[in-house]
Structures are given as structure tokens and as C-alpha cells.
Amino acid sequence: MQDIAQHLEDRTLILLSNREPYEHRHADGRIEIRQPPGGLVSALDPTMRATHGIWVAWGSGSADAETCNSEGRLMVPPVDPSYSLRRVFLDEGEVDGYYLGFSNAALWPLCHMLVQHFEYRDEYWDRYRAVNEKFAHAVAAEVKRAESPAVVWIQDYHFGLAAEIIRSQSSPTLIHQFWHIPFPPSDILRLLPVDVIDALLRGMLGNDLIAFQTDRYALNFLGCVAEFIPDAQSDADNFVVHYGGRSIVVGVFPISIDVEKYEHLALEPESVSRVERLRDRHARGGCQLGLSVDRVDYTKGIPERLRALTQLWERHPEMLERFTMLVVATPSRSELASYRDLEKEMMSTVREINDRFRTEKWEPIVLVHENVSAEVLAGAYRAADICLVSSLQDGMNLVAKEFLACQVDERGVLVLSRFTGAAEVIDDAILINPFNIDGFVDGIRCALEMSQDERRLRMQRMRMQLRSWTIFDWLASILSRTCDIIGARTEAPSQP
Ligand code: GDG
């Protein structure tokens, strides 16, 4: 971690993300503090501790306002505080318009090319703009306050406009942004009003470095800039945009996980007994255990997966009692109707499948519809014989990587949608197309029938590949690229 901090030299790292690293909540008459689950927070928190930076984020907890000072600041983590958290507070209308509205009802489906879920409203856009301004303003204030020159790092699609505003209000040494989800081709981005496309792309061009998970998304972004921003020069050969007298580097940095952490979780003694319990309950006598883990989100291909499973048991009755599917489906964004509908559809399809195929001693699908702990998750990843990832589109998909990290017994097969970023960086998975149900069924069968030797060989190769690129390599490579950009600029000052 110290090595990662070195990339910053003596600069102050100011991070902007929608989710905060520590949230205070009222619970049973007390105030409790918790770290929201998710790979990103757990990777960036150690980085911030090592660099003593400033993290600007939405203060979403019910007790957040009373646990910081009047400017929204507090020192975190609670034990041994080492960096500053600056909370920005949003009212209900702002959350509805900026977060649920433009971010999650417009940009999220558009970036995942699932246009049937796309919902644009002027009001959403107005809120998104205003909230981006609010956050950017807070970041600019931190840049001015910082004791050393600042490097700003923006996370994700919630802040498409922030970089340009921060640049207009302050002078950080460098601004970069990581876009965690896919970026759509221009024919899809065109669904937004013309002035919105223009503002969004110009907002993103406020960065010095804009980074994506894969070449495909980076090229889509370059293509959109070429088509919609006439005064920018988009150079797709060199992954750079020349715009407003500046050069914006377009980078590709596939995100990863803390591999050791997951491996350790899977090796804990409690995990061993969890694996035994799970296998004893659902995978007795040669029955195989399948696993899926996702937020209930229409991008994850949950109905498609259930359709493939129905077809598998329908067409291959020899698979009845030979394969149990554990579906961990974590509730998500249930304020939005499309998510609630999906949830209902999922529950009723699981019920239908179980009613149709269950036998006296076997339940085809075991649905866990709640948030489970990372420990329980690690046990399930280790216990599984196959892991099904069927996203219709997915920036990366960390579940696939977590499964590999926890497969310490090397018995499992990864069945992976070719439309995930993960499919572009993992070589030995069985790739499927979730839109082609017949092919999907073949992929599951191929996994179920794979010999132990081949499973071990593939799993060893995938685990080796994973170990060679962890979340810390991802962090180090992004920060080192920012250093290179700053260095190159100092060596060759821009022409007057
Ligand atoms: C976005 C992009 C990109 C899920 N249920 C539980 C739980 N999880 C954890 C998983 C995993 C994370 O949530 C989900 O990460 P994914 O990458 O699969 O998907 P998104 O949430 O859509 O993430 C994605 C990612 O950002 C990072 O850049 O890969 O493409 O869409 O870590 O384990 N964790 C716990 N309990 C649960 O019930 N503890």
C-alpha cells in the first residue's frame, strides 16, 4: 500500500464518489458506524489511509449530519483516523432526480445498452446537473484548502459533469475519472437529447485522464466524442482526445479484487464448515452445486439464467437431482419500478421452477434473497462446482473474480457471459451468450460434464491470471499513469 502512496509523491489525493466509505446510522437508540459493502470502498479505504487524502461523498446515513462538523467534515476511520471524509448532503428531490433518476433510470440502462429500461426526464437532468455542481463545488473547495497540490479522482457515472466544473473553479494538478460501467456506442448515446449529450461529453473531457474497464468501452467513448463534439479531435489510434488546448488521455484499466482477502476468507475454519454444510444440504451423493451472486438488476441476466435452467431440466431430465442451483440475489434499487418488477418476476419464476421439478428429496433452486456477509459468500464460492455469471452487459463483474479467488479446492467451473469485462481478461471460463438460451444450456451442460482434471487445469490457470492482476495492481497502474501524465506535462509545457 505504501508503494501505491508513493505514486502520488507529496500530492493530496481528493477522491469523489457517490457512496461514502463510512456511514453513521441510528439503530436501536444508538448511532452505529458501518462500512457499506462493496469492493470499491474496501480497496480505496486503505489507499486513502496510506495517502491521508480527502474523500468527498454523499452523506447518506441517517446519523451522518450529526456526526460531522458544520462543513460536513470528519476524520475516519473511527479507530486510528488518518484521512478526511467530507460529506455532501442531498434532499429527497435531489436523490430522486440525480441518483434514482438521471444516474439510474437514464444513464445506467443506456450505458448497458438496455434501451427498454431507459427513461429520460428534463427534471432528472436538471437535478443531475445541479447535484454535480454541488459535489464539484465541494471538491474545488478541498483543492483550494489542501496543503499540497491536489490530484482529483472521480468515480463513476454519477459524476459525468464534475471534472469540467472542478476545473473551472480550482486548479488541481490533475483530474482523472474511472467509469466503472460500460460506455455505449454513439447510436445508443443518441437516445439522450442533443444538448445533454454535448454537456455530458464535454463534462467528461474536463478530465486529464478518463479511464474505462476495457478497450471496447474506451473506443465507444472516443467514437462518441468524434461524432458529437466537432471541436474535439478524437484519436482512436493513440487513445487521446485533443480538446480546448488540452490532451485528454483515454485509459484502459480493468478493475480487480483483493485476491488474498477472499482467499483467506475461503480458508477460514468457519468457511470449511460452511462448505461442508452447504454441500451436505444441496450437493449430496454426486449432485453438483451451482451458484450465482448478484444484485437484483436487469443487467445481470437473472430471468435469462432461470430460462436456461428451466430448459436444462426440461430437455435433460437426467440432470434432475444431479444439479442444485444456489441463487444469491441481493435486493437493489427497489425504489425504482423496473427493479421491483424484476424482483417479482424472479421470485415467481423460481417458485414455478421448484413446483415443476422438485422431488421428494431435492429442491432445484435455493433462493437467498437478502444481503449476506462476505464470509458466507466466500464459503458459497468455495463450495460451488459451477458459478453462473449471465450479465447482458457488465463493466467488469467482480463476482467472477471472487469465485476464482475462493476456489481453493480447484473443483469449480466458471460459466461467464461474453458481455462482461471479465470475459475479456479471464481466459479459461466457458463463455456463453445469455441472449442465446440454447447455447447457454449447452454451456451449463459442458461445465457439469467437465472432467475433474480439466476443471483443475482451467481453474489453476484462471487463478494464476487473477493473482497477476489484483485491485492493488489496478490502483498502482492508474496512479502511476497519472504520474506519467503530470511528468510529461512538466517536461513539455503546452504551447502558448
Ligand atoms: C459495478 C459494475 C464492476 C453482491 N451481493 C452481496 C455482495 N455482493 C457484492 C459482490 C461484488 C459486488 O457486490 C458486485 O460487484 P459486480 O462487479 O458484480 O457488480 P456491480 O455491483 O454492478 O458493480 C461492475 C463494478 O462496479 C466494479 O467496477 O465490476 O461491472 O456494474 O463484490 O460480492 N456482497 C455481500 N453480500 C451480498 O449479499 N457481502
Side-chain angles (χ1 to χ4, degrees):
M1 194 47 68
Q2 208 46 48
D3 293 349
I4 290 176
Q6 277 165 16
H7 289 297
L8 282 169
E9 297 169 3
D10 61 348
R11 301 184 188 100
T12 303
L13 180 60
I14 302 178
L15 194 86
L16 171 62
S17 73
N18 179 63
R19 282 267 166 252
E20 58 182 340
Y22 295 93
E23 188 181 64
H24 287 90
R25 296 195 303 186
H26 290 289
D28 305 325
R30 308 179 291 115
I31 290 181
E32 65 175 29
I33 183 159
R34 64 160 210 152
Q35 187 162 65
L40 192 77
V41 164
S42 54
L44 293 177
D45 177 60
T47 310
M48 295 305 280
R49 291 184 200 204
T51 58
H52 311 295
I54 300 153
W55 192 323
V56 180
W58 170 30
S60 53
S62 56
D64 272 356
E66 60 202 90
T67 44
C68 56
N69 71 12
S70 58
E71 287 170 310
R73 277 196 201 91
L74 72 158
M75 291 299 290
V76 289
V79 178
D80 203 8
S82 52
Y83 70 91
S84 199
L85 169 61
R86 163 117 187 232
R87 287 174 173 154
V88 173
F89 294 99
L90 301 179
D91 63 29
E92 211 182 312
E94 289 172 321
V95 175
D96 285 352
Y98 139 82
Y99 179 69
L100 295 170
F102 193 75
S103 296
N104 286 329
L107 268 185
W108 175 266
L110 213 58
C111 286
H112 289 88
M113 293 184 263
L114 297 171
V115 296
Q116 69 275 31
H117 296 283
F118 171 67
E119 192 190 327
Y120 173 82
R121 299 259 178 82
D122 282 342
E123 193 194 330
Y124 294 168
W125 171 241
D126 292 342
R127 289 287 194 184
Y128 184 83
R129 255 195 332 213
V131 171
N132 266 252
E133 252 165 50
K134 196 165 172 174
F135 277 98
H137 191 69
V139 171
E142 296 302 328
V143 171
K144 289 179 197 154
R145 260 181 115 238
E147 283 162 12
S148 59
V151 167
V152 174
W153 191 11
I154 304 167
Q155 302 293 325
D156 231 353
Y157 64 103
H158 310 93
F159 298 117
L161 308 177
E164 190 186 21
I165 308 168
I166 294 168
R167 185 175 294 284
S168 71
Q169 296 184 358
S170 62
S171 311
T173 309
L174 179 129
I175 310 177
H176 57 134
Q177 183 158 16
F178 189 78
W179 199 264
H180 288 258
I181 65 174
F183 199 85
S186 59
D187 272 350
I188 300 281
L189 198 69
R190 281 181 65 203
L191 268 62
L192 286 168
V194 173
D195 58 326
V196 174
I197 300 175
D198 185 78
L200 192 65
L201 291 173
R202 288 184 196 277
M204 291 172 76
L205 291 173
N207 287 288
D208 298 288
L209 165 65
I210 170 93
F212 298 92
Q213 306 264 24
T214 70
D215 281 357
R216 194 187 302 275
Y217 313 146
L219 287 167
N220 282 345
F221 174 73
L222 285 157
C224 287
V225 171
E227 183 158 341
F228 299 118
I229 308 292
D231 50 318
Q233 248 183 292
S234 175
D235 177 352
D237 293 329
N238 297 302
F239 280 58
V240 67
V241 178
H242 303 285
Y243 169 73
R246 295 182 301 116
S247 295
I248 295 97
V249 176
V250 179
V252 176
F253 300 91
I255 200 166
S256 193
I257 58 164
D258 183 346
V259 179
E260 271 183 26
K261 186 184 113 189
Y262 278 94
E263 219 164 52
H264 284 150
L265 280 178
L267 287 165
E268 293 274 326
E270 301 88 75
S271 179
V272 177
S273 45
R274 260 187 211 114
V275 171
E276 278 168 8
R277 269 202 310 275
L278 267 177
R279 293 199 62 85
D280 188 49
R281 217 175 288 157
H282 307 299
R284 224 177 301 157
C287 178
Q288 297 196 48
L289 181 64
L291 172 71
S292 64
V293 178
D294 359 58
R295 291 182 299 99
V296 182
D297 191 298
Y298 51 76
T299 61
K300 304 294 182 184
I302 298 172
E304 290 73 8
R305 191 185 310 150
L306 294 176
R307 223 169 288 147
L309 289 168
T310 308
Q311 225 176 87
L312 174 83
W313 284 309
E314 193 176 84
R315 292 209 190 145
H316 304 281
E318 71 278 10
M319 291 294 176
L320 296 169
E321 299 188 350
R322 309 298 300 158
F323 170 52
T324 309
M325 186 68 201
L326 178 61
V327 173
V328 179
T330 313
S332 176
R333 302 182 192 164
S334 34
E335 301 90 341
L336 295 174
S338 52
Y339 285 73
R340 287 197 300 275
D341 292 347
L342 174 67
E343 203 158 44
K344 273 192 224 136
E345 182 188 347
M346 176 188 76
M347 312 261 267
S348 73
T349 314
V350 167
R351 230 174 291 125
E352 276 164 30
I353 294 177
N354 282 343
D355 288 348
R356 181 164 168 202
F357 296 112
R358 89 157 53 82
T359 65
E360 241 170 58
K361 52 178 183 182
W362 174 73
E363 186 86 352
I365 297 184
V366 178
L367 176 66
V368 180
H369 184 34
E370 63 187 17
N371 209 313
V372 298
S373 70
E375 287 76 12
V376 167
L377 219 49
Y381 284 137
R382 179 171 175 183
D385 297 290
I386 70 173
C387 179
L388 297 187
V389 175
S390 54
S391 314
L392 306 180
Q393 285 294 328
D394 213 332
M396 176 53 57
N397 191 281
L398 297 180
V399 167
K401 296 191 169 190
E402 292 164 8
F403 170 66
L404 299 181
C406 293
Q407 272 287 308
V408 290
D409 310 305
E410 299 168 347
R411 86 171 114 223
V413 185
L414 176 61
V415 177
L416 180 61
S417 161
R418 56 175 72 252
F419 306 122
T420 58
E424 306 201 11
V425 294
I426 296 173
D427 287 333
D428 278 279
I430 294 190
L431 294 188
I432 54 108
N433 172 351
F435 296 97
N436 167 10
I437 299 294
D438 294 331
F440 192 171
V441 174
D442 290 344
I444 301 175
R445 284 190 65 215
C446 171
L448 288 169
E449 285 163 10
M450 191 180 284
S451 73
Q452 292 305 322
D453 284 350
E454 187 173 351
R455 287 172 183 228
R456 173 152 299 121
L457 199 70
R458 283 180 183 243
M459 186 50 78
Q460 282 170 350
R461 286 199 296 242
M462 289 191 285
R463 281 167 57 79
M464 211 185 316
Q465 207 172 16
L466 179 64
R467 269 189 228 110
S468 71
W469 186 259
T470 70
I471 185 81
F472 304 109
D473 298 301
W474 176 80
L475 270 170
S477 67
I478 292 186
L479 294 180
S480 126
R481 177 72 80 86
T482 61
C483 258
D484 293 347
I485 295 172
I486 295 169
R489 218 193 271 158
T490 325
E491 277 162 30
S494 56
Q495 300 298 310

